[in-house]
Amino acid sequence: CALPISEATITSLFDAFHTLSSKTENRVENSRLLLDKMGGTLEESRYRTASSTRVVSLPGFSLFLMVQTFLESQKGGDNPSEILNFVKQNLSTMVATVGITRPGHVTPKDISELGLLLREFDKNVEHPFGTSLQFLWRDERVIDANVVAQYIRTKILPQSDIKGVVGNIIVTGSNSAMQILTAPLGPFPIKHPGFTFKIQAAAQTTFYVTSVLPSTVLTGLNNCSVHLGPVSGVLHVHNCESCTISAMCGAIILSECKNVTVYVCTNTPPILATWQGKLEGVFVAPYNTFYSTLEEHIAVAGISPKLNLWKIGVPNGGDTSILPPTKFVSSSFPVAPLVTPVMVTRTNPCPLPKEYQDALAQKLIAFNATSTMLEAAYKQLEAANRKDLADNLRSKVHHMFLDWAYSRGQLKGLVDLLQNNVHATE
């Protein structure tokens, strides 16, 4: 390939990268150095012939050149925070570079090339880079480079921070309740990739989390409704049944779920992990809710609400499919975060596709028509001195609503919320 630098410079760069990437000794080079020390010489024509047989990875060498360009631009500076920011900002390009022969997609072998740049630790023990990423592929040969970049980016931290990266926040065992978790959630700094948030082993529970979140796991949930603040990393929904989930995230993974509807704004296409178990009755839909400080939290989490790839790669039919617009529903948070927002969010910041907007408008028209009809019926019965019938009708409508709430797993949470409101006004 043609590069706008001298042959001597590119040869030196090649030699440096070969030394870094080679797992065996370069005997020709060692021989040349030894002869130099002894005052001897090496026949240059033979040395060049031997050198020309050396082979390095083109993607790895390209990555090496990219980093050298940055280091040269810093004029010898070695500020760790600047290097860290450079890697995070250019990670998508770097991942695309190691998969240069497969534009936009990478294999596990491609990702191993990043081992020259990044190191991987688990409980302070170093492992070959890419070990923790193997589950992303399984039966797939290649996957989207942006998905891998998003997953890696949230886990990058400076060498000085590797020790002591422990601690998760886990909400577990909730049954027939409503849980409202407000910002700031937990003692961890959101920018720290060593922490995760997990909700597990819950049933008949509604969760409202008005906080920026690190990488998040929802697992073992049954008949639950989960409304999350923006997840700065990866949201993994695993082994959940009869649940409704609303979230904004950098990436989302769905595995071993049944009868689950996910309303999501994701900046990378969803990963349907069918290799981990069957997905049955899973529907994916655009994001459907908001709360007053959501846009502030979005800015902290680094999620783009305008870039929603929620349906990319999702089949329109079968065990996993796109939710029909007629079944789309909006949702709301029952309480505001306990802070005064600098910027008040008054509507869903993630634009809805037109067909979903139209479906919501039709539902609103039907709701208003039903409300008007019921109010007219109440007044007509009361005007005819049949207040007993009016009260009976109100009671039936009320019980129909409670039956609906029970079927959605919301009854206990609704009662708790009403009780909290009563106590707040006393």
Side-chain angles (χ1 to χ4, degrees):
C1 60
L3 294 172
I5 52 179
S6 67
E7 182 179 350
T9 301
I10 195 64
T11 299
S12 298
L13 288 169
F14 181 93
D15 289 343
F17 180 69
H18 184 269
T19 302
L20 283 172
S21 59
S22 177
K23 295 183 179 180
T24 59
E25 291 184 347
N26 183 342
R27 295 186 179 183
V28 174
E29 181 65 16
N30 287 345
S31 297
R32 186 181 70 80
L33 293 174
L34 181 60
L35 283 169
D36 284 344
K37 290 179 181 179
M38 295 173 65
T41 59
L42 182 71
E43 188 176 337
E44 288 299 322
S45 60
R46 291 187 179 183
Y47 176 68
R48 282 196 295 271
T49 300
S51 296
S52 67
T53 63
R54 292 181 298 169
V55 176
V56 298
S57 160
L58 175 60
F61 188 46
S62 301
L63 184 65
F64 176 73
L65 292 177
M66 184 189 306
V67 175
Q68 294 308 309
T69 301
F70 165 74
L71 293 176
E72 179 64 22
S73 71
Q74 301 303 301
K75 301 186 183 303
D78 58 353
N79 188 320
S81 64
E82 290 182 0
I83 296 174
L84 186 71
N85 289 335
F86 167 77
V87 173
K88 285 190 173 184
Q89 291 170 6
N90 295 277
L91 186 60
S92 294
T93 301
M94 293 175 179
V95 173
T97 297
V98 299
I100 196 168
T101 59
R102 288 167 288 276
H105 293 79
V106 289
T107 67
K109 185 177 180 180
D110 294 332
I111 294 304
S112 66
E113 300 276 6
L114 291 173
L116 292 168
L117 178 67
L118 301 172
R119 300 167 68 190
E120 183 168 337
F121 290 81
D122 179 26
K123 297 179 181 178
N124 299 328
V125 177
E126 185 171 1
H127 298 275
F129 188 82
T131 300
S132 69
L133 305 178
Q134 295 295 323
F135 78 97
L136 291 174
W137 283 272
R138 293 296 178 93
D139 297 333
E140 302 292 327
R141 191 175 69 87
V142 297
I143 62 173
D144 192 299
N146 288 326
V147 173
V148 182
Q150 183 67 42
Y151 192 84
I152 296 174
R153 184 180 291 110
T154 59
K155 297 179 178 296
I156 295 177
L157 65 159
Q159 176 78 25
S160 59
D161 286 355
I162 289 177
K163 293 184 178 180
V165 179
V166 295
N168 300 316
I169 287 186
I170 300 176
V171 179
T172 186
S174 182
N175 195 325
S176 298
M178 173 181 285
Q179 294 212 15
I180 300 175
L181 310 174
T182 58
L185 182 62
F188 55 80
I190 189 60
K191 66 181 181 180
H192 206 303
F195 293 93
T196 58
F197 175 66
K198 179 185 285 188
I199 300 177
Q200 65 181 20
Q204 288 280 344
T205 298
T206 300
F207 297 91
Y208 294 98
V209 186
T210 57
S211 174
V212 187
L213 297 171
S215 289
T216 297
V217 177
L218 308 177
T219 181
L221 308 185
N222 192 304
N223 206 7
C224 291
S225 180
V226 183
H227 308 263
L228 300 176
V231 176
S232 60
V234 178
L235 171 62
H236 188 184
V237 183
H238 175 70
N239 190 28
C240 295
E241 183 173 350
S242 301
C243 293
T244 301
I245 297 161
S246 297
M248 302 184 77
C249 56
I252 183 170
I253 301 171
L254 302 171
S255 60
E256 290 191 62
C257 291
K258 182 178 180 181
N259 299 331
V260 170
T261 300
V262 180
Y263 298 90
V264 67
C265 175
T266 173
N267 290 170
T268 54
I271 297 177
L272 309 177
T274 53
W275 58 84
Q276 289 191 346
K278 189 175 182 180
L279 292 170
E280 183 179 347
V282 174
F283 289 96
V284 182
Y287 189 63
N288 69 336
T289 188
F290 67 94
Y291 54 89
S292 61
T293 55
L294 178 58
E295 286 172 291
E296 287 184 29
H297 292 168
I298 288 172
V300 175
I303 304 300
S304 172
K306 308 298 183 184
L307 178 64
N308 192 2
L309 306 180
W310 64 279
K311 67 177 182 180
I312 303 300
V314 178
N316 198 3
D319 290 330
T320 305
S321 59
I322 297 170
L323 185 74
T326 54
K327 293 186 177 181
F328 181 84
V329 294
S330 60
S331 181
S332 60
F333 283 72
V335 294
L338 303 178
V339 295
T340 302
V342 176
M343 176 194 307
V344 179
T345 301
R346 302 185 185 280
T347 187
N348 183 353
C350 184
L352 277 179
K354 186 177 184 304
E355 58 271 27
Y356 289 90
Q357 292 182 28
D358 293 344
L360 276 183
Q362 290 299 318
K363 287 186 177 182
L364 181 59
I365 292 172
F367 172 79
N368 288 336
T370 301
S371 297
T372 300
M373 181 178 63
L374 285 172
E375 188 62 29
Y378 299 149
K379 290 181 178 179
Q380 184 177 356
L381 289 171
E382 289 171 351
N385 294 322
R386 295 306 308 267
K387 188 176 182 301
D388 58 326
L389 291 180
D391 291 342
N392 186 45
L393 179 58
R394 288 191 180 93
S395 178
K396 286 187 176 181
V397 171
H398 176 72
H399 282 90
M400 288 173 65
F401 173 72
L402 293 180
D403 289 342
W404 171 85
Y406 181 81
S407 68
R408 297 289 297 271
Q410 309 297 313
L411 183 56
K412 180 61 166 61
L414 179 63
V415 172
D416 289 345
L417 182 62
L418 291 174
Q419 289 177 341
N420 289 338
N421 288 340
V422 169
H423 294 322
T425 58
E426 289 179 348

